[in-house]
Amino acid sequence: TGVAPRDRTPEGTARVLVAELPGIAEELRRRGLADTSLSIVSRGLAGIVDPGVLVVNLPGSTRAVASGIAVIVEIAPHVLDQLAGGDHS
């Protein structure tokens, strides 16, 4: 999800999202700062793909993936509940 010419992941993701969730990508970059200041050049996206699937781009480094998975584990149950019609509980 960086700036390398061959990295087209965000562009591919953007084509299928029906709703972007920018806060998730922002949090991935924020938490990544604990490992490297380079996390701010991530172009990763997060959002919803119809019919209610959460898609999150993670950076390529194993450390970034580990911290990113932690974010997803925290928020995915709520997002998926909301997509299934749940209330804000």
Side-chain angles (χ1 to χ4, degrees), residues 2-67:
V3 296
R6 293 183 354 179
D7 190 345
R8 307 300 293 165
T9 302
E11 289 77 13
T13 301
R15 289 185 12 228
V16 298
L17 293 180
V18 295
E20 192 171 340
L21 298 172
I24 295 173
E26 292 164 6
E27 180 64 5
L28 291 171
R29 285 185 277 277
R30 188 190 70 79
R31 290 204 192 176
L33 284 171
D35 292 323
T36 176
S37 62
L38 297 176
S39 71
I40 63 173
V41 298
S42 170
R43 299 182 309 118
L45 299 176
I48 306 303
V49 175
D50 202 31
V53 175
L54 174 63
V55 173
V56 179
N57 295 158
L58 292 173
S61 79
T62 55
R63 282 191 317 200
V65 169
S67 67

